[in-house]
């Protein structure tokens, strides 16, 4: 079974995708890491993420970069959101993601365009969201927990800027697929959000078998 999980930054989609992968015994790909790796590779080479040539050259990154702790930084997230708007970058990362989808038995992928572009054939699609204030608070708590000195208002404006870039870009913008089920996690804890996600997948399975 292929499960597509999309949504904006800090919506809880990664946690939900991992939990679904564990529940159904499926491999999981966090596709945001690919764009973060490109973003970090550009920054480390002294390039400019908004320059399409610099960003495209960085798509050739060493796979060891995918486990670099620097990928989780706000700088990597910002750079990822800039490089991901270049059509040549998205094209360079497409096959790798499609190969992951085509594994026997299926897979769970999370990102921004899984249900719309990478795996439109997925029988189970979730669009995970939460208010920007709740998402900023989650990201703020996470960064504080890492010992970083952060200001809530900066985190909130960063989240809003990222939403605007991801939803407003011309190619593969962040948007709910017509056949995706909306899961708003604003008032749900991890256990409740996971339980609801499993319920949605189970209902999709019943629907597709009927
Ligand atoms: O999910 P995460 O916050 O790690 O993604 C970082 C950035 O990568 C996003 O803001 C988005 O611009 C980009 N991205 C994308 N398509 C995906 C996954 C991530 O454009 N499938």
């Amino acid at each position: 079974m292929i499960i597509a999980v999309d949504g904006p930054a800090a919506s809880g989609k990664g946690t939900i995708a991992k939990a679904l992968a564990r529940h159904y015994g499926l491999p999981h790909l966090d596709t945001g890491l690919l764009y973060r790796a490109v973003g970090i590779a550009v920054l480390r080479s002294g390039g400019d993420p908004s320059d399409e040539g610099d960003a495209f050259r960085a798509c050739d990154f060493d796979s060891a970069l995918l486990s670099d702790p620097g990928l989780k930084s706000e700088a990597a997230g910002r750079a990822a959101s800039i490089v991901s708007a270049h059509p040549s970058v998205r094209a360079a990362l497409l096959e790798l993601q499609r190969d992951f989808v085509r594994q026997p038995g299926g897979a769970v992928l999370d990102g921004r365009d899984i249900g719309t572009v990478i795996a439109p054939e997925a029988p189970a699609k979730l669009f995970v969201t939460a208010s920007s204030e709740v998402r900023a608070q989650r990201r703020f708590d996470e960064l504080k927990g890492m010992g970083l000195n952060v200001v809530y208002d900066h985190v909130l404006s960063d989240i809003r800027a990222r939403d605007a870039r991801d939803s407003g870009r011309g190619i593969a913008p962040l948007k709910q697929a017509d056949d995706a089920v909306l899961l708003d996690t604003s008032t749900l804890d991890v256990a409740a959000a996971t339980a609801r996600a499993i319920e949605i997948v189970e209902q999709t399975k019943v629907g597709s078998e009927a």
Side-chain angles (χ1 to χ4, degrees):
M1 178 175 44
I2 302 165
I3 305 177
V5 183
D6 290 303
S11 58
K13 67 182 184 314
T15 305
I16 287 173
K18 273 192 216 109
L20 287 173
R22 247 193 326 272
H23 184 81
Y24 291 104
L26 293 170
H28 166 238
L29 179 66
D30 169 359
T31 62
L33 286 182
L34 304 174
Y35 293 95
R36 284 171 180 264
V38 175
I40 277 282
V42 175
L43 295 178
R44 289 186 182 163
S45 67
D48 172 5
S50 57
D51 181 281
E52 183 154 11
D54 284 357
F56 179 68
R57 277 186 292 279
C59 291
D60 207 12
F61 62 81
D62 186 328
S63 60
L65 189 56
L66 291 174
S67 37
D68 190 304
L71 289 191
K72 289 283 161 206
S73 69
E74 290 304 278
R78 208 171 303 123
S81 142
I82 297 170
V83 298
S84 68
H86 300 308
S88 59
V89 169
R90 302 203 75 85
L93 300 178
L94 187 70
E95 269 321 295
L96 192 157
Q97 296 174 80
R98 290 237 165 108
D99 284 348
F100 199 88
V101 169
R102 285 194 287 254
Q103 293 181 83
V108 182
L109 288 87
D110 73 83
R112 302 293 188 289
D113 63 340
I114 309 303
T116 50
V117 175
I118 304 297
E121 74 281 22
K125 296 182 186 176
L126 285 86
F127 191 83
V128 183
T129 190
S131 71
S132 48
E133 291 80 8
V134 166
R135 291 186 287 121
Q137 188 64 51
R138 285 180 190 154
R139 187 48 59 81
F140 175 79
D141 292 344
E142 192 186 339
L143 295 169
K144 275 272 180 206
M146 288 159 69
L148 297 171
N149 190 12
V150 277
V151 177
Y152 172 82
D153 284 348
H154 294 172
V155 178
L156 178 61
S157 56
D158 207 55
I159 288 251
R160 287 188 170 146
R162 203 121 79 78
D163 285 355
R165 260 199 308 270
D166 289 352
S167 310
R169 69 184 173 218
I171 180 164
L174 166 69
K175 80 174 172 65
Q176 182 177 351
D178 291 340
D179 51 350
V181 179
L182 184 71
L183 171 49
D184 189 328
T185 65
S186 300
T187 59
L188 302 179
D189 63 14
V190 172
T194 302
R196 178 70 193 122
I198 292 171
E199 212 172 85
I200 292 170
V201 173
E202 288 300 313
Q203 279 163 1
T204 321
K205 271 168 62 186
V206 172
S208 61
E209 280 158 12

